[in-house]
Amino acid sequence: MNTCPENIIQYMDDYLDGDINAADEAVLKAHLESCIDCRKQYHELTKTIAFVQSASHIQAPADFVQKTMQRLPKQSQRGGVQRWFRKNPILTAAALFCILMSAALFTNFNDDQQFAFTKQENLVVEGETVVVPEGQVVTGDITVRNGDIRVEGELRGDVTIVNGKYMASSGVITGEIEEIDRAFEWLWYQIKSGVKEAATIFSGSEDMEE
Amino acid sequence: MDALVNKRIKKVLKGDQNAFAEIVELYQHQLYQICYRMLNNKHEAEDIAQEAFMRAYVNLHTFDQQRKFSTWLYRIATNLCIDRIRKKKPDYHLDAEVRGTEGLDMYSSIASDDQLPEEELMRMEVQERVQYEISRLPDKYRAAIVLKYIEELPLAEISEILDLPLGTVKTRIHRGREALRKQLSNL
């Protein structure tokens, strides 16, 4: 076979591919008549092809369609939530902001478990109770955290009590009384006072005594 | 056939998932056969064929309906098969020298396990033997041979499925054919 022309192999491949012109085919046929090695090669190749083509057609398992359909992603599930986030970036940012803000406020609520009140003149403290003594006049607003307040004298201002009680007594209060007990109200109060603080930012802030 | 398939594709794109079942019905056997001949394992063939349909479904909007759907589908499947074959191969290099031996590389140790003994080959059923010989082909040639001689696809379509120039496809078929001839020389 070493003496055979190089192009015979090429023609043989072309012929087996079904892609050969008449002139080349004639050259190939003439050569195969005269060359035993090439004829053997050619017969082995055609046998090989027939052998591979004798492979019977294989069928997919009976439940193939059903199993395949089960594997398809459900259309509604396909990233529904993520798609919503992507479509509404501003709402997403707002939602994230609310979550972080409320987390911060609740943290404040939990941190502020200590007794505290607004320092004003003439106030007396008994344990965890702030007292406006009889015959005294206190001017200004008072906030009490985690404690009670009793007014026996006169208070010219508002009272805010967080986690505590306003104890009824004979005193006089010229402002409003507000009691805040639950977390939700505390949150609401924080937001309200935040707005108020922003509005009166130049009018000075309260002094707190812990 | 193509018009029929495109009609189904349009339905699926409009959200009708059941129309896709009809597409699976049409191509299931051919796709499964390609995978089975490539992977030589029924469970893997089923898994990869299903995966191919699943990917076709998810990416259906990218399919150009001017083209042949089967070509696109077979391309997804053959790529998955070739990936799977490569992953199955151990990650050491075949030509690395085997430790404790002199001049012996992995080729020599594989060659001895790979070839079944003569008597065993003779006992094989013809169908078994065909599958065995195809599975021994290097995966590059195997894909071309399966598409050419089992699926009996035209060379131009094979070139599109394998994303290779026509000349390369021909070369792979010729080499695959020659490799098979040598494997079968005792037949």
Side-chain angles (χ1 to χ4, degrees), chain B:
Chain B
M1 174 83 167
D2 284 349
L4 198 88
V5 172
N6 279 347
K7 220 164 130 186
R8 305 265 186 286
I9 291 171
K10 285 195 185 92
K11 273 192 183 174
V12 176
L13 289 175
K14 275 183 197 149
D16 179 2
Q17 208 178 48
N18 288 329
F20 195 74
E22 294 171 42
I23 296 177
V24 177
E25 191 91 46
L26 278 173
Y27 292 105
Q28 56 171 336
H29 299 305
Q30 276 163 300
L31 202 71
Y32 176 78
Q33 170 156 269
I34 292 175
C35 295
Y36 176 66
R37 296 300 185 189
M38 288 290 290
L39 298 167
N40 192 28
N41 177 302
K42 284 183 177 160
H43 292 292
E44 283 190 331
E46 192 179 347
D47 182 43
I48 294 291
Q50 285 173 359
E51 174 83 20
F53 276 120
M54 203 263 276
R55 292 201 184 188
Y57 175 78
V58 172
N59 298 305
L60 200 60
H61 59 281
T62 67
F63 169 64
D64 173 7
Q65 288 181 38
Q66 303 297 313
R67 312 183 82 155
K68 211 171 164 186
F69 181 73
S70 61
T71 304
W72 186 69
L73 184 64
Y74 295 168
R75 185 169 176 172
I76 296 174
T78 47
N79 281 339
L80 286 173
C81 286
I82 290 169
D83 279 355
R84 174 63 65 98
I85 293 167
R86 298 211 170 129
K87 265 181 209 145
K88 269 202 301 195
K89 274 188 190 161
D91 56 359
Y92 44 73
H93 289 285
L94 284 175
D95 36 24
E97 203 171 282
V98 179
R99 221 184 298 164
T101 61
E102 207 148 312
L104 263 186
D105 56 28
M106 290 308 290
Y107 282 116
S108 45
S109 58
I110 278 181
S112 55
D113 316 327
D114 200 25
Q115 171 84 58
L116 291 172
E118 188 88 1
E119 335 55 283
E120 204 163 322
L121 287 178
M122 287 307 165
R123 273 203 303 272
M124 270 185 178
E125 302 273 345
V126 175
Q127 290 305 320
E128 219 181 323
R129 180 76 192 267
V130 173
Q131 178 62 21
Y132 167 74
E133 298 298 350
I134 292 172
S135 74
R136 281 176 63 199
L137 285 174
D139 51 297
K140 282 200 286 190
Y141 304 157
R142 200 187 311 163
I145 291 287
V146 167
L147 295 173
K148 168 77 182 160
Y149 289 113
I150 302 219
E151 292 301 321
E152 300 184 298
L153 296 174
L155 291 174
E157 215 174 309
I158 299 174
S159 126
E160 212 177 317
I161 292 170
L162 298 179
D163 197 19
L164 292 170
L166 197 62
T168 312
V169 171
K170 279 188 182 175
T171 309
R172 289 191 179 184
I173 289 173
H174 301 165
R175 295 203 180 141
R177 216 151 56 189
E178 182 59 21
L180 279 171
R181 186 188 69 82
K182 283 187 182 143
Q183 285 170 210
L184 293 167
S185 57
N186 62 345
L187 208 69

Side-chain angles (χ1 to χ4, degrees), chain A residues 188-204:
Chain A
W188 178 230
Y189 171 76
Q190 279 279 12
I191 293 167
K192 271 203 305 192
S193 62
V195 172
K196 254 188 235 166
E197 258 174 54
T200 59
I201 193 117
F202 298 110
S203 61

